[in-house]
Amino acid sequence: MDNFVLNNPNLLQIEEGYSHAQHTLPSLRCPHCRHIGVFSSLMPSKTAVSYSKRGTKLLSQTIFSASFQTFLACCPNRSCQGIVLVTSDGSNKIKIVMPPELIDFSTDGLPDNLVRTLEEAVKCHAYGSYRAAAMMVRRLLEEICELNQAEGSTLHARLLNLKSKVVLPETFFHAMGELKALGNDAAHVEAKTYDNIGEDEAADSIELAKEILKALYQLQGLVSRLQARKKTNK
């Protein structure tokens, strides 16, 4: 490794440099096709570009130490073979994947506009735009109401009217109310229902939205496929 040493007036010595090092092939959910697999390396001889930096004071007292590795990897799904850039720390723990991993969801039986809106929410979450993700989940509720012809001058009123349009357990309608409140907080400065809208809140809102969509559009399809496999009575 090539080292560059700088001594400053405070007797702090900084060493940094680049080298090639062994890395562990990552298991990821592909951001391109959403399949999970062990990605293959595109770096020669399974090496990564490794960077390290260390600061020491007099008597070799370590003040800070940092290192990371970066390499290109390829999705193992032959129909995808998407490329990602992976950065891991000194213990081979993955820190950054670009493009980032996405929350998975099934598109089976979903109307196209709902798929597009949920995909946008998932991408906002993946790139750290958590308030935007919550707002897109709120938009998803608006679109569900529109598709089911729920009426009302506000989303709150339309969600109440939705109860007369679709058959769902009350828990799902309560969940929709929580998603509406979170989306309101994301969109309006004066809304204070939630103290924070971060990664966990955005992820939970997407997971709740997925369950609502399953109940509305996907459960019957699963039941129908199972029923189709019954043996015909003779």
Side-chain angles (χ1 to χ4, degrees), residues 54-99:
R54 184 179 63 194
T56 58
K57 277 192 174 182
L58 196 62
L59 302 179
S60 299
Q61 179 186 0
T62 300
I63 304 303
F64 62 85
S65 179
S67 64
F68 63 83
Q69 299 174 350
T70 301
F71 57 95
L72 291 173
C74 178
C75 175
N77 180 5
R78 291 186 178 179
S79 63
C80 174
Q81 294 187 322
I83 306 300
V84 298
L85 180 69
V86 180
T87 298
S88 61
D89 61 17
S91 61
N92 280 320
K93 181 179 180 181
I94 295 173
K95 306 298 289 185
I96 301 174
V97 177
M98 292 299 293

mmCIF file of all heavy atoms in Angstrom, residues 54-99:
data_model
loop_
_atom_site.group_PDB
_atom_site.id
_atom_site.type_symbol
_atom_site.label_atom_id
_atom_site.label_comp_id
_atom_site.label_asym_id
_atom_site.label_seq_id
_atom_site.Cartn_x
_atom_site.Cartn_y
_atom_site.Cartn_z
ATOM 1 N N ARG A 54 -5.623 6.410 8.954
ATOM 2 C CA ARG A 54 -5.384 6.263 10.390
ATOM 3 C C ARG A 54 -4.629 7.486 10.898
ATOM 4 O O ARG A 54 -3.709 7.981 10.265
ATOM 5 C CB ARG A 54 -4.573 5.004 10.673
ATOM 6 C CG ARG A 54 -4.349 4.723 12.169
ATOM 7 C CD ARG A 54 -3.560 3.451 12.348
ATOM 8 N NE ARG A 54 -2.225 3.568 11.762
ATOM 9 C CZ ARG A 54 -1.423 2.535 11.535
ATOM 10 N NH1 ARG A 54 -1.829 1.317 11.830
ATOM 11 N NH2 ARG A 54 -0.220 2.714 11.021
ATOM 12 N N GLY A 55 -5.053 7.958 12.047
ATOM 13 C CA GLY A 55 -4.377 9.077 12.681
ATOM 14 C C GLY A 55 -3.800 8.662 14.013
ATOM 15 O O GLY A 55 -4.474 8.021 14.818
ATOM 16 N N THR A 56 -2.544 8.978 14.266
ATOM 17 C CA THR A 56 -1.906 8.634 15.539
ATOM 18 C C THR A 56 -1.184 9.849 16.098
ATOM 19 O O THR A 56 -0.679 10.690 15.359
ATOM 20 C CB THR A 56 -0.898 7.479 15.370
ATOM 21 O OG1 THR A 56 0.083 7.858 14.409
ATOM 22 C CG2 THR A 56 -1.596 6.209 14.926
ATOM 23 N N LYS A 57 -1.148 9.908 17.404
ATOM 24 C CA LYS A 57 -0.385 10.955 18.090
ATOM 25 C C LYS A 57 0.949 10.377 18.564
ATOM 26 O O LYS A 57 1.249 9.200 18.345
ATOM 27 C CB LYS A 57 -1.186 11.496 19.277
ATOM 28 C CG LYS A 57 -2.214 12.567 18.880
ATOM 29 C CD LYS A 57 -2.773 13.267 20.110
ATOM 30 C CE LYS A 57 -3.672 14.436 19.694
ATOM 31 N NZ LYS A 57 -4.194 15.166 20.868
ATOM 32 N N LEU A 58 1.693 11.193 19.232
ATOM 33 C CA LEU A 58 2.972 10.769 19.782
ATOM 34 C C LEU A 58 2.767 9.544 20.658
ATOM 35 O O LEU A 58 1.735 9.392 21.307
ATOM 36 C CB LEU A 58 3.593 11.907 20.598
ATOM 37 C CG LEU A 58 5.084 11.774 20.933
ATOM 38 C CD1 LEU A 58 5.911 11.748 19.658
ATOM 39 C CD2 LEU A 58 5.516 12.936 21.837
ATOM 40 N N LEU A 59 3.715 8.641 20.694
ATOM 41 C CA LEU A 59 3.680 7.381 21.445
ATOM 42 C C LEU A 59 2.685 6.401 20.837
ATOM 43 O O LEU A 59 2.185 5.499 21.500
ATOM 44 C CB LEU A 59 3.330 7.625 22.921
ATOM 45 C CG LEU A 59 4.275 8.560 23.684
ATOM 46 C CD1 LEU A 59 3.807 8.749 25.119
ATOM 47 C CD2 LEU A 59 5.700 8.017 23.658
ATOM 48 N N SER A 60 2.355 6.608 19.537
ATOM 49 C CA SER A 60 1.525 5.667 18.768
ATOM 50 C C SER A 60 0.112 5.509 19.322
ATOM 51 O O SER A 60 -0.493 4.452 19.221
ATOM 52 C CB SER A 60 2.212 4.285 18.705
ATOM 53 O OG SER A 60 3.457 4.383 18.065
ATOM 54 N N GLN A 61 -0.422 6.528 19.918
ATOM 55 C CA GLN A 61 -1.806 6.489 20.395
ATOM 56 C C GLN A 61 -2.748 6.731 19.208
ATOM 57 O O GLN A 61 -2.728 7.798 18.601
ATOM 58 C CB GLN A 61 -2.057 7.548 21.464
ATOM 59 C CG GLN A 61 -3.490 7.563 21.978
ATOM 60 C CD GLN A 61 -3.736 8.721 22.932
ATOM 61 O OE1 GLN A 61 -2.832 9.505 23.193
ATOM 62 N NE2 GLN A 61 -4.946 8.814 23.430
ATOM 63 N N THR A 62 -3.558 5.738 18.866
ATOM 64 C CA THR A 62 -4.453 5.848 17.719
ATOM 65 C C THR A 62 -5.626 6.768 18.052
ATOM 66 O O THR A 62 -6.347 6.550 19.025
ATOM 67 C CB THR A 62 -4.984 4.468 17.299
ATOM 68 O OG1 THR A 62 -3.873 3.637 16.948
ATOM 69 C CG2 THR A 62 -5.930 4.589 16.104
ATOM 70 N N ILE A 63 -5.815 7.806 17.248
ATOM 71 C CA ILE A 63 -6.908 8.755 17.443
ATOM 72 C C ILE A 63 -8.129 8.346 16.622
ATOM 73 O O ILE A 63 -9.261 8.388 17.087
ATOM 74 C CB ILE A 63 -6.468 10.176 17.068
ATOM 75 C CG1 ILE A 63 -5.230 10.563 17.872
ATOM 76 C CG2 ILE A 63 -7.590 11.177 17.315
ATOM 77 C CD1 ILE A 63 -5.420 10.484 19.378
ATOM 78 N N PHE A 64 -7.902 7.927 15.399
ATOM 79 C CA PHE A 64 -9.013 7.451 14.571
ATOM 80 C C PHE A 64 -8.464 6.458 13.558
ATOM 81 O O PHE A 64 -7.285 6.456 13.228
ATOM 82 C CB PHE A 64 -9.733 8.604 13.860
ATOM 83 C CG PHE A 64 -8.844 9.371 12.908
ATOM 84 C CD1 PHE A 64 -8.656 8.934 11.608
ATOM 85 C CD2 PHE A 64 -8.216 10.534 13.318
ATOM 86 C CE1 PHE A 64 -7.843 9.632 10.733
ATOM 87 C CE2 PHE A 64 -7.405 11.246 12.456
ATOM 88 C CZ PHE A 64 -7.219 10.797 11.158
ATOM 89 N N SER A 65 -9.333 5.584 13.092
ATOM 90 C CA SER A 65 -8.963 4.594 12.089
ATOM 91 C C SER A 65 -10.198 4.270 11.259
ATOM 92 O O SER A 65 -11.266 4.022 11.822
ATOM 93 C CB SER A 65 -8.426 3.326 12.757
ATOM 94 O OG SER A 65 -8.084 2.360 11.779
ATOM 95 N N ALA A 66 -10.079 4.311 9.957
ATOM 96 C CA ALA A 66 -11.217 4.032 9.078
ATOM 97 C C ALA A 66 -10.732 3.301 7.836
ATOM 98 O O ALA A 66 -9.624 3.527 7.356
ATOM 99 C CB ALA A 66 -11.911 5.334 8.685
ATOM 100 N N SER A 67 -11.579 2.412 7.330
ATOM 101 C CA SER A 67 -11.246 1.716 6.096
ATOM 102 C C SER A 67 -12.527 1.251 5.421
ATOM 103 O O SER A 67 -13.537 1.012 6.080
ATOM 104 C CB SER A 67 -10.347 0.506 6.376
ATOM 105 O OG SER A 67 -11.023 -0.457 7.155
ATOM 106 N N PHE A 68 -12.489 1.170 4.101
ATOM 107 C CA PHE A 68 -13.626 0.617 3.372
ATOM 108 C C PHE A 68 -13.130 0.046 2.052
ATOM 109 O O PHE A 68 -12.032 0.353 1.588
ATOM 110 C CB PHE A 68 -14.714 1.667 3.144
ATOM 111 C CG PHE A 68 -14.288 2.830 2.281
ATOM 112 C CD1 PHE A 68 -14.314 2.730 0.895
ATOM 113 C CD2 PHE A 68 -13.883 4.025 2.858
ATOM 114 C CE1 PHE A 68 -13.941 3.801 0.094
ATOM 115 C CE2 PHE A 68 -13.500 5.095 2.067
ATOM 116 C CZ PHE A 68 -13.528 4.986 0.688
ATOM 117 N N GLN A 69 -13.977 -0.817 1.463
ATOM 118 C CA GLN A 69 -13.666 -1.435 0.183
ATOM 119 C C GLN A 69 -14.818 -1.166 -0.776
ATOM 120 O O GLN A 69 -15.978 -1.147 -0.374
ATOM 121 C CB GLN A 69 -13.479 -2.948 0.336
ATOM 122 C CG GLN A 69 -12.335 -3.334 1.259
ATOM 123 C CD GLN A 69 -12.282 -4.826 1.504
ATOM 124 O OE1 GLN A 69 -13.194 -5.551 1.139
ATOM 125 N NE2 GLN A 69 -11.203 -5.279 2.116
ATOM 126 N N THR A 70 -14.495 -0.965 -2.036
ATOM 127 C CA THR A 70 -15.505 -0.703 -3.055
ATOM 128 C C THR A 70 -15.244 -1.593 -4.267
ATOM 129 O O THR A 70 -14.101 -1.726 -4.709
ATOM 130 C CB THR A 70 -15.476 0.778 -3.484
ATOM 131 O OG1 THR A 70 -15.726 1.596 -2.347
ATOM 132 C CG2 THR A 70 -16.542 1.046 -4.540
ATOM 133 N N PHE A 71 -16.331 -2.222 -4.765
ATOM 134 C CA PHE A 71 -16.176 -3.085 -5.933
ATOM 135 C C PHE A 71 -17.504 -3.189 -6.675
ATOM 136 O O PHE A 71 -18.573 -2.884 -6.141
ATOM 137 C CB PHE A 71 -15.689 -4.484 -5.528
ATOM 138 C CG PHE A 71 -16.571 -5.190 -4.531
ATOM 139 C CD1 PHE A 71 -17.557 -6.075 -4.944
ATOM 140 C CD2 PHE A 71 -16.407 -4.964 -3.173
ATOM 141 C CE1 PHE A 71 -18.363 -6.719 -4.028
ATOM 142 C CE2 PHE A 71 -17.208 -5.613 -2.248
ATOM 143 C CZ PHE A 71 -18.188 -6.493 -2.674
ATOM 144 N N LEU A 72 -17.430 -3.610 -7.931
ATOM 145 C CA LEU A 72 -18.603 -3.823 -8.760
ATOM 146 C C LEU A 72 -19.036 -5.279 -8.649
ATOM 147 O O LEU A 72 -18.209 -6.189 -8.576
ATOM 148 C CB LEU A 72 -18.309 -3.487 -10.221
ATOM 149 C CG LEU A 72 -18.075 -2.012 -10.544
ATOM 150 C CD1 LEU A 72 -17.619 -1.875 -11.999
ATOM 151 C CD2 LEU A 72 -19.332 -1.195 -10.312
ATOM 152 N N ALA A 73 -20.360 -5.501 -8.636
ATOM 153 C CA ALA A 73 -20.879 -6.866 -8.552
ATOM 154 C C ALA A 73 -22.064 -7.001 -9.502
ATOM 155 O O ALA A 73 -22.703 -6.015 -9.880
ATOM 156 C CB ALA A 73 -21.297 -7.193 -7.119
ATOM 157 N N CYS A 74 -22.354 -8.255 -9.870
ATOM 158 C CA CYS A 74 -23.385 -8.536 -10.877
ATOM 159 C C CYS A 74 -24.459 -9.446 -10.300
ATOM 160 O O CYS A 74 -24.167 -10.413 -9.595
ATOM 161 C CB CYS A 74 -22.729 -9.198 -12.098
ATOM 162 S SG CYS A 74 -23.885 -9.657 -13.409
ATOM 163 N N CYS A 75 -25.729 -9.138 -10.598
ATOM 164 C CA CYS A 75 -26.858 -9.956 -10.144
ATOM 165 C C CYS A 75 -26.744 -11.368 -10.728
ATOM 166 O O CYS A 75 -26.482 -11.532 -11.924
ATOM 167 C CB CYS A 75 -28.166 -9.302 -10.583
ATOM 168 S SG CYS A 75 -29.642 -10.284 -10.208
ATOM 169 N N PRO A 76 -26.967 -12.411 -9.905
ATOM 170 C CA PRO A 76 -26.853 -13.784 -10.403
ATOM 171 C C PRO A 76 -28.038 -14.228 -11.261
ATOM 172 O O PRO A 76 -27.969 -15.265 -11.918
ATOM 173 C CB PRO A 76 -26.775 -14.608 -9.113
ATOM 174 C CG PRO A 76 -27.530 -13.791 -8.112
ATOM 175 C CD PRO A 76 -27.229 -12.361 -8.467
ATOM 176 N N ASN A 77 -29.133 -13.453 -11.247
ATOM 177 C CA ASN A 77 -30.296 -13.783 -12.063
ATOM 178 C C ASN A 77 -29.947 -13.579 -13.538
ATOM 179 O O ASN A 77 -29.683 -12.467 -13.983
ATOM 180 C CB ASN A 77 -31.469 -12.885 -11.656
ATOM 181 C CG ASN A 77 -32.725 -13.170 -12.465
ATOM 182 O OD1 ASN A 77 -32.778 -14.098 -13.277
ATOM 183 N ND2 ASN A 77 -33.750 -12.370 -12.244
ATOM 184 N N ARG A 78 -29.951 -14.658 -14.314
ATOM 185 C CA ARG A 78 -29.480 -14.595 -15.701
ATOM 186 C C ARG A 78 -30.340 -13.690 -16.568
ATOM 187 O O ARG A 78 -29.861 -13.156 -17.576
ATOM 188 C CB ARG A 78 -29.419 -16.006 -16.290
ATOM 189 C CG ARG A 78 -28.327 -16.873 -15.682
ATOM 190 C CD ARG A 78 -28.218 -18.200 -16.384
ATOM 191 N NE ARG A 78 -27.135 -19.015 -15.845
ATOM 192 C CZ ARG A 78 -26.830 -20.230 -16.274
ATOM 193 N NH1 ARG A 78 -27.540 -20.775 -17.262
ATOM 194 N NH2 ARG A 78 -25.844 -20.903 -15.716
ATOM 195 N N SER A 79 -31.605 -13.540 -16.222
ATOM 196 C CA SER A 79 -32.469 -12.664 -17.002
ATOM 197 C C SER A 79 -32.291 -11.203 -16.622
ATOM 198 O O SER A 79 -32.887 -10.321 -17.240
ATOM 199 C CB SER A 79 -33.935 -13.065 -16.815
ATOM 200 O OG SER A 79 -34.332 -12.900 -15.464
ATOM 201 N N CYS A 80 -31.479 -10.922 -15.599
ATOM 202 C CA CYS A 80 -31.247 -9.555 -15.143
ATOM 203 C C CYS A 80 -29.790 -9.147 -15.338
ATOM 204 O O CYS A 80 -29.480 -8.288 -16.151
ATOM 205 C CB CYS A 80 -31.639 -9.423 -13.672
ATOM 206 S SG CYS A 80 -31.233 -7.818 -12.940
ATOM 207 N N GLN A 81 -28.899 -9.769 -14.554
ATOM 208 C CA GLN A 81 -27.464 -9.462 -14.576
ATOM 209 C C GLN A 81 -27.189 -7.962 -14.391
ATOM 210 O O GLN A 81 -26.280 -7.399 -14.993
ATOM 211 C CB GLN A 81 -26.825 -9.975 -15.876
ATOM 212 C CG GLN A 81 -26.836 -11.497 -15.987
ATOM 213 C CD GLN A 81 -26.072 -12.022 -17.162
ATOM 214 O OE1 GLN A 81 -26.091 -11.446 -18.249
ATOM 215 N NE2 GLN A 81 -25.373 -13.127 -16.970
ATOM 216 N N GLY A 82 -27.999 -7.344 -13.536
ATOM 217 C CA GLY A 82 -27.812 -5.933 -13.230
ATOM 218 C C GLY A 82 -26.522 -5.687 -12.467
ATOM 219 O O GLY A 82 -26.053 -6.545 -11.706
ATOM 220 N N ILE A 83 -25.947 -4.514 -12.644
ATOM 221 C CA ILE A 83 -24.682 -4.146 -12.019
ATOM 222 C C ILE A 83 -24.946 -3.239 -10.818
ATOM 223 O O ILE A 83 -25.771 -2.324 -10.881
ATOM 224 C CB ILE A 83 -23.760 -3.420 -13.012
ATOM 225 C CG1 ILE A 83 -23.576 -4.257 -14.281
ATOM 226 C CG2 ILE A 83 -22.409 -3.117 -12.371
ATOM 227 C CD1 ILE A 83 -22.971 -5.619 -14.048
ATOM 228 N N VAL A 84 -24.241 -3.499 -9.716
ATOM 229 C CA VAL A 84 -24.324 -2.637 -8.543
ATOM 230 C C VAL A 84 -22.912 -2.301 -8.070
ATOM 231 O O VAL A 84 -21.964 -3.049 -8.321
ATOM 232 C CB VAL A 84 -25.109 -3.297 -7.376
ATOM 233 C CG1 VAL A 84 -26.546 -3.577 -7.775
ATOM 234 C CG2 VAL A 84 -24.417 -4.562 -6.895
ATOM 235 N N LEU A 85 -22.797 -1.165 -7.406
ATOM 236 C CA LEU A 85 -21.543 -0.761 -6.772
ATOM 237 C C LEU A 85 -21.704 -0.972 -5.276
ATOM 238 O O LEU A 85 -22.631 -0.442 -4.666
ATOM 239 C CB LEU A 85 -21.243 0.710 -7.068
ATOM 240 C CG LEU A 85 -19.956 1.280 -6.474
ATOM 241 C CD1 LEU A 85 -18.737 0.654 -7.156
ATOM 242 C CD2 LEU A 85 -19.906 2.799 -6.636
ATOM 243 N N VAL A 86 -20.823 -1.767 -4.689
ATOM 244 C CA VAL A 86 -20.915 -2.144 -3.278
ATOM 245 C C VAL A 86 -19.756 -1.529 -2.506
ATOM 246 O O VAL A 86 -18.605 -1.590 -2.938
ATOM 247 C CB VAL A 86 -20.888 -3.681 -3.115
ATOM 248 C CG1 VAL A 86 -20.995 -4.066 -1.638
ATOM 249 C CG2 VAL A 86 -22.011 -4.325 -3.903
ATOM 250 N N THR A 87 -20.068 -0.942 -1.378
ATOM 251 C CA THR A 87 -19.044 -0.446 -0.461
ATOM 252 C C THR A 87 -19.235 -1.120 0.885
ATOM 253 O O THR A 87 -20.343 -1.122 1.433
ATOM 254 C CB THR A 87 -19.135 1.084 -0.288
ATOM 255 O OG1 THR A 87 -18.905 1.709 -1.546
ATOM 256 C CG2 THR A 87 -18.093 1.576 0.709
ATOM 257 N N SER A 88 -18.171 -1.713 1.419
ATOM 258 C CA SER A 88 -18.221 -2.386 2.714
ATOM 259 C C SER A 88 -17.139 -1.821 3.613
ATOM 260 O O SER A 88 -16.165 -1.217 3.151
ATOM 261 C CB SER A 88 -18.039 -3.903 2.557
ATOM 262 O OG SER A 88 -16.771 -4.197 1.984
ATOM 263 N N ASP A 89 -17.306 -2.027 4.930
ATOM 264 C CA ASP A 89 -16.306 -1.532 5.870
ATOM 265 C C ASP A 89 -15.206 -2.573 6.063
ATOM 266 O O ASP A 89 -15.174 -3.600 5.374
ATOM 267 C CB ASP A 89 -16.955 -1.141 7.200
ATOM 268 C CG ASP A 89 -17.635 -2.328 7.887
ATOM 269 O OD1 ASP A 89 -17.340 -3.497 7.529
ATOM 270 O OD2 ASP A 89 -18.460 -2.097 8.789
ATOM 271 N N GLY A 90 -14.337 -2.329 7.011
ATOM 272 C CA GLY A 90 -13.198 -3.215 7.226
ATOM 273 C C GLY A 90 -13.576 -4.620 7.639
ATOM 274 O O GLY A 90 -12.794 -5.553 7.475
ATOM 275 N N SER A 91 -14.797 -4.804 8.170
ATOM 276 C CA SER A 91 -15.245 -6.138 8.583
ATOM 277 C C SER A 91 -16.113 -6.796 7.524
ATOM 278 O O SER A 91 -16.799 -7.774 7.792
ATOM 279 C CB SER A 91 -16.028 -6.040 9.899
ATOM 280 O OG SER A 91 -17.176 -5.223 9.738
ATOM 281 N N ASN A 92 -16.105 -6.245 6.292
ATOM 282 C CA ASN A 92 -16.891 -6.747 5.170
ATOM 283 C C ASN A 92 -18.399 -6.597 5.383
ATOM 284 O O ASN A 92 -19.186 -7.268 4.734
ATOM 285 C CB ASN A 92 -16.558 -8.212 4.862
ATOM 286 C CG ASN A 92 -15.278 -8.339 4.060
ATOM 287 O OD1 ASN A 92 -15.024 -7.546 3.162
ATOM 288 N ND2 ASN A 92 -14.454 -9.314 4.407
ATOM 289 N N LYS A 93 -18.807 -5.705 6.286
ATOM 290 C CA LYS A 93 -20.218 -5.405 6.453
ATOM 291 C C LYS A 93 -20.621 -4.377 5.411
ATOM 292 O O LYS A 93 -20.006 -3.327 5.281
ATOM 293 C CB LYS A 93 -20.488 -4.858 7.858
ATOM 294 C CG LYS A 93 -21.959 -4.552 8.105
ATOM 295 C CD LYS A 93 -22.179 -4.046 9.524
ATOM 296 C CE LYS A 93 -23.648 -3.740 9.767
ATOM 297 N NZ LYS A 93 -23.879 -3.219 11.151
ATOM 298 N N ILE A 94 -21.667 -4.689 4.655
ATOM 299 C CA ILE A 94 -22.092 -3.806 3.566
ATOM 300 C C ILE A 94 -22.638 -2.503 4.136
ATOM 301 O O ILE A 94 -23.510 -2.499 5.005
ATOM 302 C CB ILE A 94 -23.151 -4.496 2.690
ATOM 303 C CG1 ILE A 94 -22.535 -5.715 1.988
ATOM 304 C CG2 ILE A 94 -23.717 -3.525 1.651
ATOM 305 C CD1 ILE A 94 -23.531 -6.549 1.229
ATOM 306 N N LYS A 95 -22.130 -1.384 3.635
ATOM 307 C CA LYS A 95 -22.557 -0.068 4.093
ATOM 308 C C LYS A 95 -23.409 0.653 3.054
ATOM 309 O O LYS A 95 -24.386 1.310 3.381
ATOM 310 C CB LYS A 95 -21.333 0.799 4.428
ATOM 311 C CG LYS A 95 -20.363 0.157 5.416
ATOM 312 C CD LYS A 95 -21.004 -0.111 6.769
ATOM 313 C CE LYS A 95 -21.272 1.165 7.540
ATOM 314 N NZ LYS A 95 -21.784 0.893 8.904
ATOM 315 N N ILE A 96 -23.018 0.545 1.787
ATOM 316 C CA ILE A 96 -23.725 1.262 0.724
ATOM 317 C C ILE A 96 -23.837 0.342 -0.498
ATOM 318 O O ILE A 96 -22.888 -0.355 -0.852
ATOM 319 C CB ILE A 96 -22.972 2.546 0.313
ATOM 320 C CG1 ILE A 96 -22.812 3.492 1.508
ATOM 321 C CG2 ILE A 96 -23.705 3.264 -0.818
ATOM 322 C CD1 ILE A 96 -21.951 4.706 1.202
ATOM 323 N N VAL A 97 -25.014 0.335 -1.117
ATOM 324 C CA VAL A 97 -25.220 -0.336 -2.396
ATOM 325 C C VAL A 97 -25.862 0.682 -3.339
ATOM 326 O O VAL A 97 -26.849 1.319 -2.985
ATOM 327 C CB VAL A 97 -26.137 -1.568 -2.262
ATOM 328 C CG1 VAL A 97 -26.388 -2.195 -3.630
ATOM 329 C CG2 VAL A 97 -25.537 -2.592 -1.317
ATOM 330 N N MET A 98 -25.291 0.833 -4.522
ATOM 331 C CA MET A 98 -25.829 1.769 -5.509
ATOM 332 C C MET A 98 -26.010 1.066 -6.842
ATOM 333 O O MET A 98 -25.053 0.489 -7.357
ATOM 334 C CB MET A 98 -24.898 2.965 -5.668
ATOM 335 C CG MET A 98 -24.830 3.858 -4.453
ATOM 336 S SD MET A 98 -26.427 4.588 -4.002
ATOM 337 C CE MET A 98 -26.701 5.668 -5.414
ATOM 338 N N PRO A 99 -27.215 1.089 -7.421
ATOM 339 C CA PRO A 99 -28.453 1.613 -6.853
ATOM 340 C C PRO A 99 -28.813 0.867 -5.562
ATOM 341 O O PRO A 99 -28.435 -0.299 -5.407
ATOM 342 C CB PRO A 99 -29.488 1.358 -7.952
ATOM 343 C CG PRO A 99 -28.709 1.078 -9.199
ATOM 344 C CD PRO A 99 -27.428 0.490 -8.759
#
